[in-house]
Amino acid sequence: MERGNQTVTSEFILMGLPIEPNQQNLFYVLLLAMYLTTVLGNLLIIVLIILDSHLHTPMYLFLSNLSFSDLCFSSVTVPKLLQIMNGQILPISYPECLTQMYFFLLFADLESFLLVAMAYDRYVAICFPLHYTSIMSPKLCLCLVALSWVLTISISLLHTLLMARLSFCASNMIPHFFCDMSALLKLSCSDTHVNEMMILILGSLVIIVPFLLIFSSYVRIVSSIFKVPSARGIRKAFSTCGSHLSVVSLFYGTIIGLYLCPSADSSPVKDTVMALMYTVVTPMLNPFIYSLRNQDIKGALGRIFSKRTIHSSLGQ
Ligand SMILES: *[C@@H]1O[C@H](CO)[C@@H](O)[C@H](O)[C@H]1NC(C)=O
């Protein structure tokens, strides 16, 4: 070790997935298929909501924001991973790495805040059905979305700036498939205490506070249903809250699996597998959860396709 000639790392190598070389092709095809499904599924939701005026309600505007966020979240990491699996060992420069980390945090946090906005929307819809349109005005919706963006931009900027002051000098091999914040911290040769503290503080702001807000709006929804129990009310609540609740469970289920599951070895392998779960699987499933069980989305699909058929038969 020559200490005098200490070089500062200016680029990193992402090591990709911890799998055998003979499984690379299988995983490549699988990931490519899942990524394409994510892109197409979320684009379809966004286009449907833009095209169909029946879906211009707060719930669906939030949903299209959520789909946009899912689409971007997946696109921050998966294309690079596919490139790595394709056998291209591309070094990723330090600024590129920080940029990836920034956008990764941005869209992950945005999703969390949008889920809160959606929970508030369901709370107003079930508990104050008569005042719904006056409370959930376009102005309030825009404010909620704007607030989510402002919060998430500031939080990820803060993390990125804190990361930018660290220096990296030992290894430049990241045992992960994207520039993950904790993987980078492990490689740093500076003092990372402030970073770790901010991860803890901001992490709870982004995960626990939204969770409590969502939980309390569901507590109120359930108690308002049981105050005046009627089969119709319960059915309505289930049909409008079911999809949101499924997405929330998927989102927090992954987080709980990641952080709270007792694991003897906090190995890079487990981190990578869990990361695949939230970068690939969750964004892919969200549009399906919303479209499979949802009559409005199915109706919109039907209307768009029947319009197309009418046009094409008129055109002949
Ligand atoms: C996000 O939500 C806002 C406010 O409801 C809406 O105006 C906007 O069109 C949505 N954006 C996307 C990309 O869906």
Side-chain angles (χ1 to χ4, degrees):
M1 274 259 153
E2 358 172 18
R3 282 205 71 85
N5 191 14
Q6 201 178 50
T7 51
V8 172
T9 310
S10 64
E11 53 184 29
F12 296 99
I13 308 272
L14 292 170
M15 290 170 43
L17 300 180
I19 48 177
E20 302 291 321
N22 61 352
Q23 294 174 331
Q24 289 277 356
N25 284 339
L26 176 68
F27 273 87
Y28 182 82
V29 172
L30 201 65
L31 279 174
L32 184 63
M34 289 170 92
Y35 179 62
L36 290 179
T37 314
T38 308
V39 172
L40 291 179
N42 284 298
L43 270 184
L44 182 66
I45 295 271
I46 297 174
V47 169
L48 269 185
I49 292 174
I50 290 175
L51 289 185
D52 197 290
S53 56
H54 293 85
L55 299 182
H56 290 174
T57 61
M59 179 168 127
Y60 290 107
L61 289 177
F62 289 140
L63 175 61
S64 77
N65 277 277
L66 190 73
S67 278
F68 174 74
S69 174
D70 273 335
L71 183 61
C72 297
F73 184 59
S74 215
S75 304
V76 170
T77 52
V78 182
K80 190 85 193 167
L81 171 61
L82 289 172
Q83 252 182 342
I84 299 171
M85 293 182 76
N86 214 356
Q88 291 168 271
I89 306 221
L90 303 166
I92 180 166
S93 72
Y94 182 60
E96 215 183 325
C97 201
L98 284 185
T99 313
Q100 191 187 40
M101 190 191 109
Y102 174 75
F103 283 107
F104 177 84
L105 293 172
L106 181 77
F107 291 113
D109 296 351
L110 185 60
E111 173 139 355
S112 176
F113 293 128
L114 286 175
L115 287 175
V116 178
M118 296 173 91
Y120 180 68
D121 168 73
R122 289 301 86 206
Y123 160 65
V124 175
I126 305 279
C127 298
F128 310 97
L130 298 178
H131 304 287
Y132 179 68
T133 36
S134 61
I135 298 179
M136 292 305 290
S137 61
K139 204 170 144 203
L140 179 69
C141 295
L142 209 59
C143 279
L144 288 175
V145 172
L147 182 68
S148 309
W149 275 98
V150 170
L151 280 175
T152 185
I153 287 175
S154 335
I155 292 173
S156 26
L157 196 61
L158 188 61
H159 278 307
T160 312
L161 291 178
L162 283 176
M163 184 64 81
R165 39 179 272 293
L166 302 182
S167 48
F168 297 87
C169 36
S171 164
N172 68 343
M173 306 289 272
I174 303 178
H176 213 299
F177 62 90
F178 63 96
C179 289
D180 178 54
M181 201 162 39
S182 54
L184 276 174
L185 283 184
K186 279 182 200 140
L187 289 184
S188 168
C189 49
S190 321
D191 181 17
T192 58
H193 272 105
V194 181
N195 297 63
E196 278 156 22
M197 206 173 68
M198 285 320 267
I199 290 178
L200 210 65
I201 296 173
L202 295 179
S204 42
L205 180 72
V206 168
I207 294 167
I208 297 174
V209 173
F211 178 79
L212 291 178
L213 290 173
I214 294 172
F215 188 74
S216 65
S217 61
Y218 272 99
V219 167
R220 295 200 186 167
I221 287 174
V222 169
S223 65
S224 104
I225 293 171
F226 284 114
K227 234 180 271 164
V228 209
S230 71
R232 207 174 141 263
I234 293 176
R235 201 160 350 106
K236 182 181 166 229
F238 264 110
S239 69
T240 62
C241 301
S243 317
H244 178 255
L245 205 54
S246 316
V247 172
V248 168
S249 320
L250 191 62
F251 185 78
Y252 285 101
T254 320
I255 293 176
I256 290 169
L258 187 60
Y259 293 107
L260 304 184
C261 264
S263 68
D265 60 321
S266 169
S267 62
V269 176
K270 186 202 158 207
D271 289 353
T272 324
V273 172
M274 289 308 293
L276 269 185
M277 178 74 196
Y278 58 74
T279 55
V280 184
V281 181
T282 311
M284 180 183 75
L285 290 183
N286 285 353
F288 288 100
I289 292 175
Y290 262 94
S291 24
L292 290 181
R293 310 184 49 241
N294 189 304
Q295 293 308 321
D296 294 338
I297 297 265
K298 281 185 191 160
L301 262 180
R303 277 191 292 276
I304 290 211
F305 280 107
S306 62
K307 226 188 279 173
R308 289 264 316 269
T309 344
I310 291 168
H311 281 316
S312 57
S313 56
L314 283 179
Q316 283 172 359

